[in-house]
Structure formats: C-alpha cells, structure tokens
Amino acid sequence: MTMERLDWAAQRSAVEQPQPTAEAETRRALHLCNVCGYCNGLCPVFDAAKRRPLLAGGDLDQLANLCHHCRSCFYACQYAPPHPFALNLPRALARTRADSYARHAWPQPLAQLFAHPQRAALLASLITTLPLLLLVLISGPVDQVWAVHQGPGAFYQVLPWGWMVLLAGLSLGWSLVALGVGVRRFWRAGAGADDHALLPQGRRRSALKTALLEALALSHLRGGGAGCADLDATPSLWRRRWHHALFYGFLLSFAATVAATLYHHLLGRLAPYPVWSAPVLLGSVGGLLMLMGVIGLGSLRARADPEPNRPATQSANQALLWLLGAVALSGLLLLLWRETAAMALLLILHLGLVLALFLLLPYSKLVHAPYRLAALWRDALERQQRG
C-alpha cells in the first residue's frame, strides 16, 4: 500500500472514530491534569480536582461550573494539540458545564431550549412582545398606541399597572422556582464524600461570604494573576472588565426597579420619574454599563481563538448577549423618547424583552450565575473542611 493510501486510511479512521462523550473527555483531561499539576496556580479547579480523585459524574459537574473559562490553562498546557494527548481542558469543561445545565433543568422537557439558544431567545421575545401589543390594542382605543402620553402615570395609560405586575410576577416567579429546583439538583449531584452539613453554621456562613466575594470580584477570571487568554496566549484583563460592566450594569438595573417600586408604594409617585430621580439614574447607568459589557464581550468573542471554545457554548453566549443588549438598548431608548409618540411601542418592546429574559432565566446561559455561585460555595466549604 502506498504512503498516500496509508495517510488516507488514517485520516478516514480518525474521522469515523466516534467522539468521546463530554463526561469521558472531561474525566480523561482531569486525570492527566491531576498527574501533571503544572497549571495548579491558575485557578481553583486543579486543587479541587485533586480533592475529588475519583472524578464521578457529580464531581465533573462541580469542577466544570467552578471553571470560569479563562482559557489560560489551554495555552500553558504542554499536552495541548498538536501533542498526541490533545488535551483541551477548557473545551471539555465547557461541554460538561452545558450538559449539566440541561441535565438538571426542570421541568426536563424544557431543557431542549438549551440546544437552540438563538431560536429560543427569538421565540421567547415574540411570545411575550406580540401578546403585549395585542393586549394594549384590545384594552383601549387604538389611537393610544400612537398618542403622546406625558406626566405621572403615562406608562399606565398604555398598559395598566396591574397587568405589568401580574405578567412580571408570574414569569419571574415561575422561573425562580424552576431555577431553584435545578440548582438544588446540581448541589445534590455534586456532593462529595465530605459532609458539609456537619460544619458549624459559622463556618458555613464564612464559606458563603467567601464565595460571594469571589463571585462579585470575578476573582477567577484573572488566569492566575496576569489575566485571561482573551484572544490568544497573551494575558489580558479586558474580559474580566467587560464582565464586570455587564454584571454590575444588570445589578444597577435591578436596583432601579426596586427603587421605582419604593417610589410607587411608599411615596405614591407614579412612573415615569424625573431624570434626576433614583430609578432613572440607576437605570440609565445600569443600561449603559450593560451595553458596554455586551459590546466588549461580543467583540472579544468574535476575535477569539476558537480552539479552546465549544461552538455550541458560543451560540448560547451570543444569544444571551443579544437579549441582554436588546433589553438595555430598548430601556435607554424608552427613556430618551418617553415623551414622544414612540413611547407606547418602545414600552411594549422593552417590557416584552424583559419578560422574555425572565422566562429564559432557567433555560439559557443565564443559569451559569447561580450554578457558579453554588460551585464556589461548595469549593469554599471543602477548603475550610480540609484546612
């Protein structure tokens, strides 16, 4: 047989060989990492893996969600492709992490939304926005959609306050219940040999405080200190900065909603509020930060090395960024044009997108936040118990 036929046969065999499952590949990669130990200082995943040498299914879920996907270990690894071991730990953990979201989701049939994140985001936006428009059209004169509404209570002339509260409460309430069930399943599946329930309450609260501080500071997006491998092997802190902008922008936007609720119920003041009021200032700064984070992260992902990234995970990231960006942009446009004839349609669009975000909370990449916090808390508990 000629060399050309040998090469062709080898290539065909490689193509036809079934790819390992996410669990099998992650276990293989972490076994190699436990033996090597070269990347131990980059993030807590490697120390946590040594504490779980059996690497059972629940262990892999815990380690995958503890990973912040900074990708620094991929470029530091001496066994990464083209080495015959072809070790790609960030991609393997990303696959396992995505599988854990779908596996623990409740109710289980809705886990199919994870497989088509962009379609799910578009469908959810249509399902929420179009009925809102229909509700406005049938609840009053059609002219109110094009009319100029000004002064206190102008928003409620378009859609009554009771409808806003009912729709937001039902969608967010359902999603919080579904998300709570999913996080509980994740927590129980990741339980190791150590019983954290035996720890004193003080130490458990201390571990939770540590986890919250690590989450708020995004400590593990530093790649061991120099920064993440945002685009290539060169370390950078930009990914962490854009994450901070998006995260704290989201928190400020939520704070604006809380402030508006207090204005409404405690002060008896109806929206829309003056430009210098707390709800408007918090919402404006929050919306701008969210837009900055969406644009920054989107730019990094568009230019990043695809090798350590899982394509399906990138689709989920992109769908979430689109939805968050649309919520922030529609809110800012509503603020700018709230005293014009465009206000009613912008209000319907903004509320519809917010409701879509609420409904997709347990079935989109947004679940990474509570899952990661739970993983950080468990890791802090294990460190306390072993320390």
Side-chain angles (χ1 to χ4, degrees), residues 198-212:
L198 299 179
L199 284 174
Q201 283 293 111
R203 294 183 66 181
R204 297 185 70 186
R205 286 195 296 268
S206 176
L208 178 58
K209 179 182 177 181
T210 298
L212 286 171

Side-chain angles (χ1 to χ4, degrees), residues 149-161 164 270-273 334-335 338-339 343-344 347 351:
H149 304 277
Q150 295 179 338
F155 290 160
Y156 309 135
Q157 296 172 26
V158 178
L159 186 66
W161 177 82
M164 290 188 187
L270 302 181
Y273 301 110
L334 176 60
L335 173 64
R338 61 183 179 171
E339 296 186 354
M343 185 270 278
L347 177 64
L351 290 176

Side-chain angles (χ1 to χ4, degrees), residues 279-304:
V280 174
L281 288 176
L282 290 170
S284 300
V285 176
L288 288 172
L289 284 175
M290 285 178 65
L291 274 182
M292 289 170 55
V294 165
I295 294 171
L297 289 172
S299 174
L300 287 179
R301 289 197 169 99
R303 297 178 290 133

